[in-house]
Amino acid sequence: MQTIPVPLARHAYDIHVGRGLLGEAAERVRAVLQPHRIAVVADETVAGLYGETLREALAAGGADAVLVTFPAGEASKRLAQAEVLHEALLAEGLDRKSALVALGGGVTGDLAGFVAATFLRGIPFVQAPTSLLAMVDSSSGGKTGVNLRAGKNLVGAFHQPALVLADIDTLRTLPREELLSGLAEVVKHGVIRDAAYFELVETGAEAILALDPETLAAVVAGSCRIKGAVVAEDEREESGVRALLNLGHTFGHAYEAASGYALRHGEAVAMGMIAACHLAERLGLSEAALRERLAALLRRIGLPCTAPAYDAEDLLATMRGDKKRERGRHRFVLPRSLGTAEVVTVDDEDAVREALRLTISE
Ligand SMILES: NC(=O)c1ccc[n+]([C@@H]2O[C@H](COP(=O)([O-])OP(=O)(O)OC[C@H]3O[C@@H](n4cnc5c(N)ncnc54)[C@H](O)[C@@H]3O)[C@@H](O)[C@H]2O)c1
Ligand SMILES: [Zn+2]
């Protein structure tokens, strides 16, 4: 097992990455929390696979643990579902001295984390991520929330977990396309912060796809280290460092919207990173070799590095409405070289159009 400390000023916590961690959860949870009662919150799919294993492990360790479930899928990330969970926690006898474990992917982490942030004005919670995306991205960082009709994650709270338990054995049952989605964020971490980590992913790509446990553990731990360091520098997205995690996401969100959300998030981010490379090249910030190396890795992993021919004006309109924009100007995270990126204000929309054009598949 590897332990990555996240040294936040007021809520420092550890991320544990390794095999069999769900079975050892009681001891790890007890080291940081002594709750009256624990609710394991999971979607029905993950509950069916790991819910009882975790609940029993917690109960065997002396905790009073219950399992609470909700329907799988992004559609559950709603205030109405949060309220159903609040009521269920109350019915299960949870009180202010109780805790919650979010067992599952990013939907569960965001929804159950939001429920923990708001139930009785906030109870502590543990993240037990079971999707690669949740392990490397959503489970650390403390962003929790639900969607509104107008857009994703529009209601939420910062609520840091007391602990993250990333049991990589759970990745064995993860659908292939979900694994790929998480890998887009893995590659992104290397590009923005850490050339050696990018090389680790290049070297290990086949082993990752074959679910080799040692390689997966190294990759998850490496990503958690990068994300943890970024979050520790900029816990509430104030200094701008945390914005670097949005590499590929401004373009990516526009691609997702243009596809009517038929594209998966990871696919859109992969295309978006290539578009960001093209834009950086147009602005003289990076060289073609970086994009070619990134594209080669994405291709090996099975992620797209060209985009369908969406209407550029539609894409630009979506990007103009992106909530990350400041004072009406386009802001992009652009790569400089492998392992460094920066937030750049771009007033030249023609350069953005050109980047979009160059990203389209021939
Ligand atoms: N809070 C953050 O910082 C942050 C960051 C990135 C993404 N997110 C959010 O994360 C969500 C996406 O997360 P996701 O991709 O994990 O989605 P998800 O939680 O819906 O999981 C994807 C699917 O995989 C299933 N699943 C999960 N783990 C499994 C396992 N081990 N075996 C078999 N099936 C498994 C789930 O039941 C679900 O059907 C989005 O809502 C996004 O907004 C949040
Ligand atoms: Zn993302």
Side-chain angles (χ1 to χ4, degrees), residues 43 45-46 49-50 72-74 77 105-108 110 130-131 133-134 137-138 143 152-153 170-171 173-175 178 227:
D43 72 33
T45 307
V46 173
L49 289 164
Y50 306 108
E74 185 74 27
K77 249 179 75 172
V107 165
T108 303
D110 283 11
T130 64
S131 72
L133 182 125
D137 194 351
S138 59
K143 284 190 186 175
K152 274 174 61 89
N153 306 321
T170 61
L171 296 176
T173 54
L174 188 69
E178 302 294 347
K227 171 124 194 211

Side-chain angles (χ1 to χ4, degrees), residues 246-271:
N246 291 321
L247 174 70
H249 280 63
T250 303
F251 285 110
H253 288 149
Y255 289 139
E256 280 183 281
S259 75
Y261 294 89
L263 275 180
R264 299 186 154 267
H265 178 67
E267 293 170 336
V269 168
M271 299 169 185

